[in-house]
Amino acid sequence: MTRRMLAGLSVVCLLLAAADPLRATLERSMSAHMLVQYPLLLAAGALAARALPWRLTRRVRPWLLGGAAPLVTALALLSAAMVPRVVDAAVTSAAADALKTAMLVAAGGLAALGWRPAGRLGQAFVVGNVCWMLAAGGLLLTESPLRVCASYLEGDQARAGQGLVAWSVAAGAAWLAAARRRRQVTA
């Protein structure tokens, strides 16, 4: 895929996730907010990073520290964006929504920049942490006797939690399948 196509797809993901009226529709339910809008924003950042010119990525490479620096930063940003208080604030405040959007796009871009340099071991660390974070957060949302976000109903909270657990399983399975394919190709 060309850099121009990647950049175009990045813009499409960003517009789908952040432009009204679809943004407001996605943020109306906790499930759509966390299970559709969040991945679209992460994808927008990842695609934008993959569309960067080779000269720029080559200049940035020494600061990537084997992928560790951008991947750990991406994990921190994703973790912060998943805090229920942030999810809630993004629905009620335009500034908080813009900050959440920026954090998720940056997390996707940083993850894309650090992915290849991290190698399989670093990727396994990140995938394991993301899967664990999604599953733990999902289980907390599903089993919590209280509403953790004032903007959403308990039933929607439980559905969002179940979806996060499903995303966790899907992400782990997809990475394992890709790692297995790579191993078979190199063997």
Side-chain angles (χ1 to χ4, degrees), residues 92-175:
T92 58
S93 163
D97 192 45
L99 180 60
K100 174 206 71 179
T101 299
M103 286 191 317
L104 290 169
V105 170
L110 288 167
L113 286 173
W115 191 251
R116 284 193 179 122
R120 286 188 191 149
L121 186 60
Q123 292 171 9
F125 175 80
V126 170
V127 169
N129 277 289
V130 168
C131 289
W132 175 250
M133 178 177 57
L134 291 176
L139 291 172
L140 287 171
L141 289 176
T142 302
E143 299 300 323
S144 176
L146 304 172
R147 281 187 356 192
V148 295
C149 290
S151 301
Y152 299 112
L153 300 174
E154 285 179 44
D156 196 24
Q157 174 178 304
R159 283 188 298 280
Q162 292 163 353
L164 286 173
V165 172
W167 266 110
S168 169
V169 171
W175 183 80

